[in-house]
Amino acid sequence: VWVLPVPNPNVKIDVADEQFFAELEGQTAPQILPLAPPPCPSNGGSVGGSTLDAGAGGVEIYQERVVGPYQTVVLGGDSSEGLVDWLTNNGYAIPDSTLPAIQHYVDAEQVFVVLRLAPEDDVSAMQPVRVEFKGYMGTFPLKMVTVGAFGTVALTLWVIAEQRYTTPNYGSTTIDPSDVEWLGGGSNYRQLFAAAVDEQGGKGWVTEFAGPLDSLWFTTPDELDDVREDIPYPFITRLATDIRVENIAGDLELA
């Protein structure tokens, strides 16, 4: 089950094209190429819907739909207990450990998009999901990531907007190219990445790519139609982290 807080119930849920994400990853992930071949003895040389009756418990259902391999519901309520009770009674496996995180977003007057795989599907049927809503939400709901997670969580976030974006409340940083072992094919990159995160109190986000969106190419350009309608010259920022769960103190602010 996947739970996503959103600022209003007028939400359109759809599946996205996996190829788009493969091309996005392939073109924005760090690529470290040696400046010269290493020594070698032999040669030298990435919709809103109508409100439905949810019954007792202060839960309001805004839409229920089947989207690709997923059963989806958009709902809101007065308390995390009521929401989890409704979801559990309707076959969504929501552990009690989610209650504090859900209550955080209930207090923020947000509603929730909840998805699960249809009973006849397994994880091989999973596809990326697009969730669209009108309005601005300058945060990423990082607290939901802590539910059921432990140890270190690796996250990559792409922001496509009018300019470069950073993460002021968690700390943004970059890796100095002069520190990379270029002749070794970047063998020390992961160590540099971990050190950059640690320098921001163990919760930093590393900017691994920042540039005009038009510098990239896609075989699925329709994925970006909405962006190009609203932003004449879109910019893309790739932010990444390996963050320990205990260092996730709140939602990620974007600025």
Side-chain angles (χ1 to χ4, degrees):
V1 175
W2 181 53
V3 180
L4 174 70
V6 291
N8 65 70
N10 297 317
V11 175
K12 180 182 177 182
I13 307 168
D14 207 345
V15 293
D17 195 314
E18 290 186 69
Q19 183 66 21
F20 170 73
F21 287 97
E23 293 171 354
L24 191 64
E25 168 68 20
Q27 295 180 83
T28 61
Q31 298 183 35
I32 301 171
L33 304 176
L35 297 177
C40 176
S42 61
N43 59 18
S46 154
V47 175
S50 59
T51 301
L52 305 175
D53 180 15
V59 176
E60 189 168 11
I61 307 303
Y62 299 98
Q63 64 169 273
E64 288 185 284
R65 292 180 57 211
V66 174
V67 179
Y70 303 103
Q71 295 175 342
T72 75
V73 61
V74 180
L75 75 169
D78 301 328
S79 71
S80 56
E81 289 86 355
L83 290 166
V84 170
D85 285 347
W86 187 93
L87 290 166
T88 301
N89 292 337
N90 285 272
Y92 289 82
I94 305 290
D96 288 341
S97 59
T98 63
L99 288 171
I102 291 178
Q103 188 63 48
H104 168 79
Y105 296 104
V106 169
D107 294 341
E109 299 182 346
Q110 298 202 349
V111 298
F112 300 88
V113 174
V114 186
L115 299 92
R116 67 176 176 187
L117 280 170
E120 64 271 15
D121 290 318
D122 59 24
V123 293
S124 64
M126 292 179 67
Q127 294 177 253
V129 177
R130 179 193 293 106
V131 178
E132 298 180 49
F133 53 84
K134 291 187 179 295
Y136 176 72
M137 186 172 71
T139 59
F140 179 78
L142 203 54
K143 283 186 69 69
M144 287 304 305
V145 176
T146 64
V147 176
F150 59 91
T152 300
V153 180
L155 297 167
T156 302
L157 175 65
W158 290 273
V159 181
I160 301 174
E162 75 290 347
Q163 59 183 315
R164 178 171 174 166
Y165 267 66
T166 62
T167 55
N169 66 328
Y170 273 74
S172 292
T173 186
T174 57
I175 292 175
D176 188 339
S178 65
D179 292 333
V180 176
E181 293 179 355
W182 293 93
L183 292 178
S187 59
N188 67 333
Y189 182 80
R190 295 314 303 176
Q191 290 89 341
L192 294 174
F193 186 97
V197 173
D198 289 343
E199 287 169 3
Q200 302 293 322
K203 57 182 185 178
W205 287 70
V206 179
T207 301
E208 293 189 307
F209 182 93
L213 183 63
D214 288 339
S215 66
L216 310 181
W217 59 269
F218 297 96
T219 58
T220 55
D222 54 320
E223 291 290 340
L224 298 167
D225 285 348
D226 290 344
V227 172
R228 299 191 188 283
E229 285 180 8
D230 296 332
I231 305 173
Y233 304 103
F235 202 90
I236 183 168
T237 310
R238 175 192 173 107
L239 301 159
T241 188
D242 284 341
I243 187 170
R244 293 196 61 81
V245 172
E246 57 265 29
N247 289 334
I248 299 177
D251 291 335
L252 184 70
E253 296 176 6
L254 298 168

